[in-house]
Amino acid sequence: MKKVYIVAIFLVTTIGMSACNSKQSNQIVKESSKNSQSSKSSLPIQSASSTPQSSSIIKESSLSIGKSISPSTSMQIRKWNPEKNQRLSEFMSAWGIEMGQSYSQYNPNHNLNLYGLSIPWSVIDNNSTWKAAIDNQPIELKWSETGEDTGGYQLVDVYSDVNEKNSGVNHVYLFVIKAGNPIVLYTAQNQGNANNYLYLKETKNNELKTAFARIVE
């Protein structure tokens, strides 16, 4: 009887341990499966979070390239250039015919003799004691090939009918650009003065002002 009791206890213990081990094994399998699923489900989240960063990097790179290939200042259209010079020449020829006048072009290498004064050479870049003046105030007049130099009035062209056989008053037009703005200055001066000023004023001819402005722009 005692032996039977011992055997019964052994069987119960063995079955209990087997059931416990089986339960632990099932738990381990479930946890392993859960961790595996958790690991798999986290991958799309990481991938999604990396996509905006990649897009941001691409956009920034594109912007950087765009800036690097943008036109430089030297490539931009200048306020004055040979093409615009030619356009003004064509306009002055046609406009002169319309006005019953004939105009010639002048520059520092081909000056107008205005009653002994060389225009523009004598009134630009402090080349002589003479000064260009507006409203009785001397101005800084510079010869410019581009109209984009800093400071003062940038003189880009000169036209006059002084040496032509015109009836009435002769004209001298100085085409200048000041701070990017086109201005047509005019003088009909025919004598000197104590200040050695060449007196200038803005022309009142709207057709001439409008034409020059359009050419500069």
Side-chain angles (χ1 to χ4, degrees), residues 60-71:
E60 289 178 0
S61 178
S62 298
L63 288 173
S64 177
I65 292 172
K67 291 179 181 179
S68 66
I69 63 175
S70 61

Side-chain angles (χ1 to χ4, degrees), residues 91 95 99 173 184 202-210:
F91 170 80
W95 184 72
M99 300 293 290
Y173 290 104
V184 183
E202 187 172 2
T203 181
K204 294 181 180 179
N205 189 292
N206 289 326
E207 187 178 2
L208 188 56
K209 291 192 293 184
T210 299

Side-chain angles (χ1 to χ4, degrees), residues 55-216:
S55 300
S56 177
I57 292 172
I58 292 172
K59 288 180 180 178
E60 289 178 0
S61 178
S62 298
L63 288 173
S64 177
I65 292 172
K67 291 179 181 179
S68 66
I69 63 175
S70 61
S72 62
T73 303
S74 62
M75 294 297 289
Q76 294 176 356
I77 299 175
R78 296 184 182 278
K79 287 292 183 180
W80 198 250
N81 55 40
E83 179 187 353
K84 294 182 178 184
N85 184 291
Q86 179 60 31
R87 287 170 60 190
L88 180 60
S89 175
E90 293 170 356
F91 170 80
M92 290 301 294
S93 177
W95 184 72
I97 294 173
E98 180 184 335
M99 300 293 290
Q101 301 161 350
S102 179
Y103 286 88
S104 296
Q105 185 182 37
Y106 298 93
N107 59 56
N109 296 319
H110 175 55
N111 289 276
L112 166 68
N113 184 349
L114 183 64
Y115 307 105
L117 188 64
S118 296
I119 303 296
W121 190 90
S122 294
V123 291
I124 60 172
D125 306 324
N126 296 316
N127 284 334
S128 72
T129 57
W130 280 80
K131 296 284 289 184
I134 298 177
D135 295 330
N136 209 37
Q137 295 296 321
I139 63 172
E140 185 179 8
L141 191 63
K142 300 179 180 179
W143 182 261
S144 175
E145 299 292 339
T146 65
E148 295 180 348
D149 296 335
T150 58
Y153 292 76
Q154 312 305 312
L155 179 61
V156 297
D157 223 336
V158 176
Y159 279 87
S160 177
D161 62 352
V162 167
N163 291 329
E164 309 300 331
K165 294 180 180 179
N166 298 321
S167 59
V169 179
N170 290 317
H171 312 81
V172 181
Y173 290 104
L174 283 73
F175 295 84
V176 305
I177 298 174
K178 186 177 188 299
N181 299 313
I183 304 172
V184 183
L185 298 176
Y186 159 80
T187 184
Q189 185 172 322
N190 58 12
Q191 59 184 358
N193 54 80
N195 294 323
N196 287 339
Y197 285 169
L198 177 65
Y199 293 104
L200 303 171
K201 58 183 178 181
E202 187 172 2
T203 181
K204 294 181 180 179
N205 189 292
N206 289 326
E207 187 178 2
L208 188 56
K209 291 192 293 184
T210 299
F212 182 50
R214 288 177 176 174
I215 292 172
V216 170

